[in-house]
Amino acid sequence: MAVYEIVKNGDPVLRQKAKPVPEITPNIKKLLDNMRDTMYASRGVGLAAPQIGVSKRVIVVDVGDGLYEIINPEIIESKGVETDIEGCLSIPGVVGEVPRAASVVVKGLNRDGKEVQISAKGFLARAFQHEIDHLEGILFIDRAQNVRREG
Ligand code: NI
């Protein structure tokens, strides 16, 4: 179990375009483990590698129906628009309304290097879009309306 400190808004790593993972090494599997542990310890529903200071295209997501670990994720299909409230572990205490595709298909590699395709809608689709944005150096506040302190 390795829980990392989450990088906060203002750190340049969050604004870099993360690098594709060319092959799945033991280090990448360790990165996935550390990201999972850090996400759960922080009570987050998703985490992108730049948020623990690693500029690689790796995300983990769990909105309550199981863990997704995706390497080199890409959105290959998106439909509709839904606007809903969002926050981010890198911008604690801040929320805003973000328009996102209502449903997406995400393609990438799992930890065994197998290609996976996930069809997601609603909150899961939102979480994937939010985490994949992190890999482009985009934060939810860039897309949000009515950004405010929570509560
Ligand atoms: Ni985030």
Side-chain angles (χ1 to χ4, degrees):
M1 172 115 179
V3 173
Y4 281 67
E5 197 180 329
I6 292 182
V7 169
K8 299 301 188 301
N9 188 19
D11 191 309
V13 74
L14 292 178
R15 292 305 191 174
Q16 285 165 18
K17 196 171 151 82
K19 293 203 172 53
V21 173
E23 73 174 313
I24 295 169
T25 59
N27 271 341
I28 294 294
K29 293 184 185 185
K30 203 163 128 192
L31 173 64
L32 283 168
D33 292 341
N34 294 340
M35 288 172 62
R36 175 202 62 208
D37 292 347
T38 302
M39 173 179 73
Y40 288 139
S42 312
R43 300 179 188 287
V45 296
L47 196 73
Q51 292 182 280
I52 59 167
V54 177
S55 193
K56 291 187 193 303
R57 301 187 81 82
V58 179
I59 63 170
V60 293
V61 168
D62 186 346
V63 299
D65 57 0
L67 175 66
Y68 294 94
E69 303 172 309
I70 309 182
I71 297 149
N72 300 336
E74 271 178 77
I75 293 168
I76 57 168
E77 217 181 286
S78 55
K79 281 188 195 145
V81 182
E82 260 174 26
T83 300
D84 208 342
I85 197 159
E86 252 175 64
C88 179
L89 292 171
S90 292
I91 315 172
V94 173
V95 295
E97 274 99 40
V98 186
R100 300 279 190 191
S103 69
V104 294
V105 178
V106 178
K107 185 180 100 168
L109 300 176
N110 69 13
R111 68 159 56 221
D112 301 315
K114 283 224 171 80
E115 192 180 297
V116 290
Q117 271 192 28
I118 299 141
S119 297
K121 57 184 185 176
F123 194 48
L124 180 60
R126 178 168 298 276
F128 279 127
Q129 292 169 83
H130 177 116
E131 300 315 327
I132 291 170
D133 264 358
H134 273 298
L135 307 181
E136 296 297 317
I138 298 167
L139 299 174
F140 86 95
I141 50 171
D142 304 341
R143 300 189 186 277
Q145 295 145 6
N146 194 18
V147 175
R148 60 200 184 272
R149 292 247 138 226
E150 202 172 14

